[in-house]
Amino acid sequence: MKKSLTGLTAAVLLVSSGAASAAEYKIDKQGQHAFVQFRIQHLGYSWLYGTFKDFDGSFTFDEADPTKDKVNVTLNTNSVDTNHAERDKHLRSAEFLNVAKFPQATFVSTSVKKDGDELDITGNLTLNGVTKPVTLEAKKLGEGKDPWGGYRAGFEAETKIALKDFNITTDLGPASQNVELMISVEGVRQ
């Protein structure tokens, strides 16, 4: 479950969309301006939410031609946090994220396509030693100058991944086979 989020997080969120011309952006993880979150059904009765607190990445953004956009994210799986220490320890174990063997998850985009007001960002998500294609549904939230003389662009994205696709085979019940990933990033133009 946590694993799924990591994978997703990793990188897909860094979805790009565009400014007037292609520009490189570094994800602003200082000051809580970027999040990789996930949720999974708990027994079909409620949602369990979590986040990955340590990740980094970059993206390019070309509003005129989104097909030129790129996203690259690395997430430290040990940073999983569900606000419950014992559960987090279990999620870090070999039954889920296996952080001792696979301390990082990555997302590297392979294509970006504009679909109305949204962007479909497809890329390779590597999680728990498995690499699979994943598509993020992303949307540009805004862009412009910041108060410190920089220029920023922000995006949100979401996707759903199947735990079994990333070698997470612990049976959590029929309602808990997939993890939803929710990503929100703000990048600073370099």
Side-chain angles (χ1 to χ4, degrees), residues 4-166:
S4 284
L5 175 57
T6 296
L8 189 175
T9 179
V12 146
L13 194 293
L14 246 22
V15 78
S16 63
S17 171
S21 64
E24 176 84 15
Y25 289 79
K26 176 137 178 71
I27 293 175
D28 181 9
K29 59 182 197 165
Q30 307 298 320
Q32 298 293 312
H33 296 134
F35 299 89
V36 175
Q37 298 175 319
F38 63 93
R39 74 179 190 167
I40 188 168
Q41 284 275 318
H42 183 255
L43 305 174
Y45 305 135
S46 65
W47 289 101
L48 180 131
Y49 286 82
T51 189
F52 290 91
K53 295 193 168 236
D54 188 13
F55 64 95
D56 206 356
S58 63
F59 60 91
T60 59
F61 172 58
D62 185 338
E63 189 145 9
D65 188 0
T67 63
K68 294 179 180 177
D69 293 342
K70 304 277 184 215
V71 174
N72 189 335
V73 177
T74 299
L75 181 143
N76 291 316
T77 55
N78 194 43
S79 71
V80 67
D81 184 354
T82 64
N83 201 30
H84 189 279
E86 285 303 310
R87 178 175 46 232
D88 294 346
K89 183 177 175 183
H90 191 202
L91 290 173
R92 291 179 185 114
S93 75
E95 286 188 54
F96 290 97
L97 296 174
N98 200 3
V99 303
K101 189 171 183 182
F102 304 108
Q104 293 184 322
T106 60
F107 177 83
V108 178
S109 66
T110 56
S111 72
V112 177
K113 295 178 184 168
K114 189 163 179 68
D115 183 13
D117 289 339
E118 295 188 354
L119 297 167
D120 290 336
I121 302 168
T122 300
N124 291 317
L125 173 61
T126 300
L127 177 67
N128 197 26
V130 176
T131 301
K132 295 265 186 186
V134 171
T135 298
L136 299 174
E137 295 177 7
K139 185 169 153 181
K140 182 174 85 170
L141 298 175
E143 66 175 305
K145 294 179 181 178
D146 64 27
W148 309 281
Y151 193 89
R152 295 172 180 259
F155 298 87
E156 66 181 5
E158 58 184 37
T159 194
K160 187 184 288 187
I161 61 173
L163 294 176
K164 67 179 180 179
D165 287 350
F166 293 92

